Amino acid sequence: MSKEFDWFLFLLTIILAVCGIIFIYSATRSLNTNSNVIVQSGAAFLGIGAVVAINFFDYEQFKNLVKPIYIFSAAILILVLLFGTSGDWGARSWIRFGSIGVQPAELAKICFILTFSYHLEKVKEKINRPLILLGLILHISVPVGLILMQPDMGSAMVFMFMFACMIFMAGLSYKYIIPILGAGVLSTPLIYKYVLSEYQQKRIQVFLNPDLDPLNRGYNVIQSKIAVGSGQLWGKGYLEGTQNQMGYLPTKSTDFIFSVISEEFGFIGSMIIVIMLFALIWHCFKIAKKADNAYGKYICTGVASMFLFHVFENVGMCIGLMPVTGIPLPFMSYGGTSLLTNMLAVGLVMSVAYHNRPRDTIEVY
């Protein structure tokens, strides 16, 4: 067995986590407390330990725990519906233990990647059979349905994007892909008119034109775009962002952390962060391609697609190109559960790389 520690992915993860702590300090400096920085630093420390531990743990052993993992995922999503508290966007998505909050939907992403990857491996030769495809849809319906009941549309979209990428990697036929995409596009006006509530319709209208409600629903995006634009090429300097430090920028340590980065470090600084994030995503896909079995390939694909959606959605909503959904920027946004989830995901990818065996040239997946 060829075992190799992936130093590139490990060090890149640490650099991103440290950058996130630095930006969170700037975003919360006006609060006169370092509690967010302390929590994020503690989560980063635990996460680094988790990355190393999972790297040396053979990821294929998770196959023996698929059923308990799936049950655990459903259980924590049910618990948050029964005992959860609301977050910044009104969804009942947090379970709190005193001052400590846990977001089960984040942990459920890792559970889904592990269980769905195993499901795909078992049916990869028959994935284009209607009943098999229905079984895969039922697999994702449980976590997505429970998350939509919170309601947390942003997290549900992450799951659906991971699902789409993973079944595409598994060889789903275009005879399904093209009709599904076509039906989705054609049904959009009907969904908007007959399915979405008036509140949800209003949010879409404000996304398309924030000036319709500049002091309420459109306020966040307007202030975010001002912050991003005012940073110009090189930024105003660390701790010198006026939108940030003077409190005009909302939820600046979480959902709009990219706006803080752009204002204080400008286009150059923000692009360096984006490039590092895409380097991590690219490396995950690279490891997926080299994986010596289908289970490892699907795990890496799931992790990469999770990061990819988060980056596109968060950066997009900060510059007004995507609707505001409360999706955090990986490693940058404040949130211990989110950071630990990201670290666990990286650990899984590193485990796939570490336990990879030289591939036989005639081996087919």
Side-chain angles (χ1 to χ4, degrees):
M1 218 182 241
S2 174
K3 296 186 176 182
E4 189 173 331
F5 191 84
D6 195 328
W7 285 103
F8 174 81
L9 190 55
F10 182 66
L11 294 176
L12 181 59
T13 300
I14 293 177
I15 292 170
L16 285 168
V18 171
C19 288
I21 294 170
I22 292 172
F23 299 139
I24 289 169
Y25 173 77
S26 176
T28 58
R29 183 167 173 250
S30 59
L31 302 178
N32 296 319
T33 176
N34 291 325
S35 60
N36 288 6
V37 174
I38 294 172
V39 170
Q40 195 77 355
S41 300
F45 181 77
L46 292 174
I48 292 172
V51 168
V52 175
I54 295 176
N55 174 83
F56 293 110
F57 180 81
D58 188 351
Y59 67 96
E60 292 196 67
Q61 297 302 315
F62 285 114
K63 292 180 180 180
N64 302 321
L65 302 171
V66 164
K67 289 183 179 179
I69 290 173
Y70 193 79
I71 294 171
F72 170 77
S73 172
I76 59 176
L77 291 175
I78 292 172
L79 283 176
V80 77
L81 292 175
L82 298 175
F83 307 106
T85 59
S86 298
D88 293 331
W89 300 100
R92 185 186 291 270
S93 54
W94 291 86
I95 295 178
R96 297 200 174 274
F97 305 92
S99 60
I100 300 175
V102 177
Q103 193 172 9
E106 291 294 319
L107 298 176
K109 294 173 186 175
I110 300 297
C111 296
F112 173 75
I113 290 172
L114 290 172
T115 58
F116 194 64
S117 295
Y118 178 74
H119 193 162
L120 281 176
E121 184 188 43
K122 297 293 287 185
V123 303
K124 63 180 185 294
E125 303 296 338
K126 303 174 287 185
I127 190 172
N128 289 301
R129 297 182 184 179
L131 288 179
I132 296 298
L133 188 56
L134 178 61
L136 294 171
I137 293 173
L138 290 175
H139 188 126
I140 192 176
S141 296
V142 173
V144 168
L146 292 171
I147 289 170
L148 286 174
M149 291 173 66
Q150 297 180 9
D152 184 356
M153 178 60 74
S155 294
M157 291 169 62
V158 176
F159 276 82
M160 289 186 284
F161 185 77
M162 289 193 294
F163 173 83
C165 291
M166 292 171 76
I167 62 173
F168 178 80
M169 181 68 77
L172 183 67
S173 172
Y174 281 99
K175 72 179 182 181
Y176 293 111
I177 296 174
I178 294 175
I180 290 173
L181 291 177
V185 172
L186 294 175
S187 63
T188 299
L190 297 176
I191 294 174
Y192 174 82
K193 186 173 182 178
Y194 297 107
V195 177
L196 298 183
S197 65
E198 183 179 352
Y199 170 77
Q200 291 171 322
Q201 292 177 355
K202 187 68 175 178
R203 288 192 66 175
I204 293 176
Q205 294 169 11
V206 171
F207 157 64
L208 296 173
N209 182 12
D211 292 328
L212 287 175
D213 193 4
L215 298 180
N216 189 13
R217 295 186 180 94
Y219 179 82
N220 292 359
V221 175
I222 291 173
Q223 297 302 320
S224 175
K225 290 166 70 175
I226 292 173
V228 172
S230 64
Q232 299 185 33
L233 187 62
W234 295 103
K236 296 179 179 179
Y238 187 55
L239 306 179
E240 299 296 330
T242 51
Q243 291 291 111
N244 173 24
Q245 302 301 333
M246 297 182 69
Y248 293 109
L249 191 61
T251 55
K252 53 188 179 179
S253 65
T254 53
D255 303 324
F256 290 95
I257 192 71
F258 183 76
S259 305
V260 173
I261 299 169
S262 298
E263 184 181 31
E264 298 191 348
F265 293 89
F267 177 79
I268 300 298
S270 61
M271 283 302 98
I272 290 174
I273 296 298
V274 170
I275 289 170
M276 286 196 293
L277 287 168
F278 274 103
L280 183 144
I281 294 167
W282 170 82
H283 200 70
C284 291
F285 278 123
K286 181 181 177 182
I287 294 174
K289 185 178 180 180
K290 293 182 177 181
D292 67 348
N293 62 73
Y295 187 55
K297 178 173 69 173
Y298 299 143
I299 286 176
C300 294
T301 300
V303 170
S305 59
M306 179 185 74
F307 286 141
L308 183 62
F309 187 88
H310 273 254
V311 173
F312 264 113
E313 169 59 26
N314 184 273
V315 173
M317 75 181 190
C318 287
I319 60 179
L321 295 180
M322 294 291 285
V324 177
T325 57
I327 294 294
L329 186 62
F331 303 99
M332 301 292 112
S333 295
Y334 169 70
T337 310
S338 175
L339 182 58
L340 280 174
T341 298
N342 295 334
M343 293 287 202
L344 290 172
V346 169
L348 287 174
V349 174
M350 290 181 61
S351 179
V352 173
Y354 185 79
H355 294 91
N356 199 39
R357 295 185 297 273
R359 190 186 285 191
D360 193 321
T361 55
I362 64 171
E363 194 170 359
V364 179
Y365 302 100

